[in-house]
Amino acid sequence: MSLVNQRPRHSERVAPISRERAQRQLERVVRDELLFGSERELRVDVPLGELGLDSLALLHLIMAVEETFGVQLPDDVLVRRDPISIGDLIDLVVAAPRTHPGGVPVPPADPTILPPHFRMERLHRRLAARGWWGGLMRIAANMGWHTKSFLFERSKHYVLERGLESEPPSIEPPPGIDLRPYSRADEDIIGGLWPDFSERRSRREMQRWLADDAFAFVALEGTRVVAIDLLSADGNRGEVELAPARGACWGLQLVEAPDVRGRGIGLALLAYSLRASRARGFRAQLATVSSDNAPMIAASTQILGFRALGRAQRTRAFGITRWSWNIEGLRGHGRLLSL
């Protein structure tokens, strides 16, 4: 699945664009669409993540570039290389075949570019406003969700790694948000992290991970935990195994309460967990990110400095999980994703 909206391809030939024109127009797009007309200096070699853009803004920029220049950028543009700079985008625009003359109005950044479980949350919110029959439909949707997950489920992921030899970025949380390591007492103040259709199972899974020596970091607003990042030193038991030689920890799960999303809390917590993992002596942090989760991919690769090691596919049938993968050019398959 593409990281950005697919554009229609047209058969007619369109004149190529020069590098000089591409640079002028691209700088205008960045200023007008994303920096609110700012006249600050834009160096072409500075990574986009250092411009202060969030993940949705990065996705919006890619869509704006495609529409402005009438090009189709590669689907994996955000993960196939090191953090992208304005100069990299210029190179991509000049090299990409033009599919239409450009100049199409750019739609606003769409906060609904979301993975399937977020779309399930949205369905629940809509049904909640439908009275008693909406409640019955929510029960039916829950049963269907869990039954489908057990009988057959297939998902595609990017496998990402962030080396910790260098200091990870420091991202300040929003005002009123405190970041710190998780303590057992926090379980009593975790509220509303998961939607009701997965609350019980997700909380049990979190407790199991923590009992198996996982560690975690939390974001608090007042006396409430509004986000948690769970990690493990040996992978995800029953799913992923890490080679000890990597000296890495594994990102089990990042959860952010639905009512606080969009404020940059999850991004700040991830940056905090990278620095804390480095302080614990880990040389890297690894994780899988669903290929549907474009905002998380953009944030991980362009802001936090993760690189894509490869791709993996997870298939679950009748409660049995199998993985297949292509990691750093090596293919494999088995019950465990081996890294």
Side-chain angles (χ1 to χ4, degrees):
M1 178 175 290
S2 174
L3 296 180
V4 294
N5 292 345
Q6 293 289 328
R7 309 294 179 208
R9 294 182 181 272
H10 303 287
S11 59
E12 67 267 20
R13 294 179 61 84
V14 184
I17 187 168
S18 69
R19 183 177 179 83
E20 293 75 17
R21 182 185 167 200
Q23 180 168 344
R24 288 196 307 271
Q25 286 191 258
L26 185 56
E27 290 181 353
R28 179 186 58 78
V29 169
V30 172
R31 291 187 191 282
D32 294 349
E33 299 289 343
L34 302 173
L35 300 182
F36 307 103
S38 169
E39 292 300 321
R40 76 194 228 199
E41 180 185 7
L42 291 178
R43 288 172 40 204
V44 296
D45 60 336
V46 173
L48 297 176
E50 295 182 14
L51 294 177
L53 310 179
D54 63 18
S55 55
L56 286 176
L58 287 167
L59 294 176
H60 188 208
L61 174 59
I62 299 300
M63 289 189 287
V65 168
E66 290 188 326
E67 296 294 10
T68 298
F69 294 101
V71 298
Q72 180 80 46
L73 297 180
D75 289 347
D76 59 351
V77 63
L78 294 178
V79 295
R80 70 175 188 164
R81 57 170 68 207
D82 293 333
I84 296 174
S85 66
I86 293 177
D88 293 326
L89 276 181
I90 294 171
D91 292 339
L92 287 168
V93 166
V94 172
R98 301 188 69 196
T99 59
H100 59 279
V104 179
V106 180
D110 183 4
T112 63
I113 307 174
L114 299 173
H117 65 282
F118 283 5
R119 295 196 288 270
M120 182 68 170
E121 287 182 27
R122 188 167 54 188
L123 173 63
H124 267 243
R125 287 196 296 271
R126 290 175 177 172
L127 291 176
R130 302 290 183 175
W132 65 268
W133 70 268
L136 293 177
M137 292 298 294
R138 289 175 71 186
I139 294 173
N142 287 348
M143 294 176 62
W145 172 274
H146 293 301
T147 301
K148 178 181 178 298
S149 298
F150 177 80
L151 292 178
F152 185 81
E153 186 177 53
R154 176 170 289 164
S155 54
K156 296 181 179 181
H157 307 262
Y158 285 100
V159 180
L160 305 180
E161 179 181 49
R162 207 306 181 174
L164 300 178
E165 297 86 358
S166 60
E167 183 72 24
S170 177
I171 299 176
E172 289 296 317
I177 300 296
D178 295 315
L179 308 177
R180 63 164 172 77
Y182 171 87
S183 71
R184 295 292 180 180
D186 289 332
E187 188 173 340
D188 297 330
I189 56 173
I190 292 176
L193 280 187
W194 301 278
D196 56 4
F197 66 87
S198 64
E199 166 82 25
R200 184 179 302 175
R201 184 174 64 176
S202 298
R203 189 178 285 271
R204 282 201 309 265
E205 190 172 49
M206 181 193 74
Q207 292 168 342
R208 175 175 59 83
W209 281 332
L210 291 171
D212 286 342
D213 297 325
F215 57 99
F217 305 100
V218 296
L220 293 99
E221 186 165 39
T223 58
R224 175 192 172 201
V225 172
V226 294
I228 184 169
D229 187 23
L230 286 149
L231 301 107
S232 168
D234 58 2
N236 183 352
R237 193 163 300 178
E239 291 264 353
V240 179
E241 63 177 0
L242 296 180
R246 276 193 180 272
C249 58
W250 178 259
L252 291 165
Q253 188 179 72
L254 171 70
V255 189
E256 193 178 15
D259 61 316
V260 303
R261 290 181 192 145
R263 295 167 53 188
I265 296 173
L267 184 61
L269 181 59
L270 275 173
Y272 176 87
S273 81
L274 287 172
R275 299 195 307 276
S277 296
R278 183 172 187 256
R280 285 172 172 247
F282 292 105
R283 297 198 301 268
Q285 190 177 119
L286 291 93
T288 57
V289 177
S290 170
S291 58
D292 286 334
N293 196 345
M296 178 59 73
I297 292 171
S300 298
T301 60
Q302 301 303 310
I303 300 175
L304 296 176
F306 281 81
R307 69 184 182 97
L309 297 180
R311 301 192 189 206
Q313 179 173 278
R314 179 182 184 270
T315 303
R316 185 172 177 83
F318 296 98
I320 300 173
T321 299
R322 299 283 295 178
W323 286 90
S324 59
W325 61 85
N326 184 348
I327 306 296
E328 297 180 314
L330 298 177
R331 297 180 181 274
H333 58 87
R335 186 177 61 85
L336 298 176
L337 173 61
S338 299
L339 299 169

